[in-house]
Amino acid sequence: MSDDDHGHGHEHSDDDHGHGDSHGHDHGHGDSHSHDHEHGHGHTHDHSHSHDHHEHDVVELDFAVLTVSSTRTVDDDPAGDAIEAILHDAGHSISVRRVVDDDFDEIQTEVARMADRGDVDVTITTGGTGVTPDDQTVEAVEQLFEKSLPGFGELFRSLSFDEIGTRVVGTRATAGIVDEMPAFCLPGSENAARLGTSEIIVAEAPHLTGLARRDTE
């Protein structure tokens, strides 16, 4: 199945979700949207499970969007475009928009750099989450997680089931906290990127970011 036979067409067998991971990366596209404004990470959060526990959510976030691919460029990146548009519509900003080669060390290094920049609150990767030999995003990023968020992948696959059925078993979307920064790894197809960003990340990133920084000030 090529890249998530999710009907999310992908050149890479990224989770037969049709959430294809077109692993074509353009190494040298750096921060085309770099807003470089330091976003203080000192947001406190209430752990209570009542509805008012969102009081300290980080309402306006600065995102990094990293497309994992060996063939795409920032100008030819439907999944990245979809993520950026959804985030802008939700009132957030893009500090970094970049294509990263589907290389274990490069993926891991780039995500770690996003956590260190100071102007990135949340990182989303798209691509490299399938089961082909060059799908290495999950392995690279999970090593950085201080805390994993298994519910993200579980919910993503649950929502995807309506579209691709049992092919969700090939989709390894995942998320976790990297140095107080939520990081989400989505498949590389445009449909998968839209689904994960609009249905889960937009709703939960403000809350997770606040919680991850709760005791840092």
Side-chain angles (χ1 to χ4, degrees), residues 2 9 16 41 59 67 82 88 104 133 153 157-158 162 177 204 216:
S2 98
D16 276 359
H41 288 268
V59 179
T67 297
H88 277 311
F104 181 99
R157 283 179 284 276
S158 176
D162 290 339
I177 305 300
E204 294 303 324
T216 60

Side-chain angles (χ1 to χ4, degrees), residues 7-201:
H8 299 26
H10 254 192
E11 308 168 11
H12 243 284
S13 101
D14 212 23
D15 332 338
D16 276 359
H17 248 231
H19 296 31
D21 261 354
S22 88
H23 284 304
H25 271 194
D26 204 338
H27 257 298
H29 286 58
D31 296 49
S32 63
H33 295 280
S34 159
H35 296 335
D36 277 49
H37 42 285
E38 300 268 332
H39 220 267
H41 288 268
H43 300 280
T44 58
H45 223 310
D46 182 359
H47 277 289
S48 135
H49 290 278
S50 62
H51 285 298
D52 54 358
H53 70 323
H54 291 282
E55 178 184 356
H56 300 292
D57 288 4
V58 185
V59 179
E60 295 182 7
L61 296 167
D62 289 326
F63 282 79
V65 178
L66 306 179
T67 297
V68 178
S69 175
S70 314
T71 59
R72 296 221 177 263
T73 67
V74 171
D75 294 326
D76 176 27
D77 179 18
D81 291 344
I83 292 169
E84 180 172 358
I86 291 166
L87 294 175
H88 277 311
D89 287 347
H92 303 300
S93 300
I94 308 299
S95 292
V96 179
R97 172 83 185 275
R98 182 175 296 168
V99 175
V100 181
D101 196 22
D102 50 4
D103 172 79
F104 181 99
D105 291 335
E106 183 166 348
I107 295 166
Q108 190 172 86
T109 297
E110 285 301 309
V111 173
R113 283 175 178 166
M114 297 305 103
D116 290 339
R117 283 177 58 101
D119 64 345
V120 172
D121 299 308
V122 181
T123 291
I124 300 174
T125 70
T126 173
T129 64
V131 297
T132 63
D134 53 352
D135 285 324
Q136 302 187 71
T137 300
V138 174
E139 287 73 17
V141 179
E142 281 189 338
Q143 285 191 3
L144 300 172
F145 288 167
E146 298 160 345
K147 292 181 172 63
S148 61
L149 299 169
F152 174 75
E154 293 164 2
L155 179 55
F156 179 81
R157 283 179 284 276
S158 176
L159 294 173
S160 298
F161 181 79
D162 290 339
E163 181 179 350
I164 64 168
T166 56
R167 287 176 182 168
V168 295
V169 300
T171 297
R172 300 186 301 133
T174 189
I177 305 300
V178 179
D179 192 18
E180 300 174 8
M181 177 193 74
F184 301 92
C185 300
L186 291 169
S189 75
E190 182 178 352
N191 287 350
R194 287 185 182 282
L195 175 67
T197 306
S198 64
E199 297 299 322
I200 309 174
I201 296 173

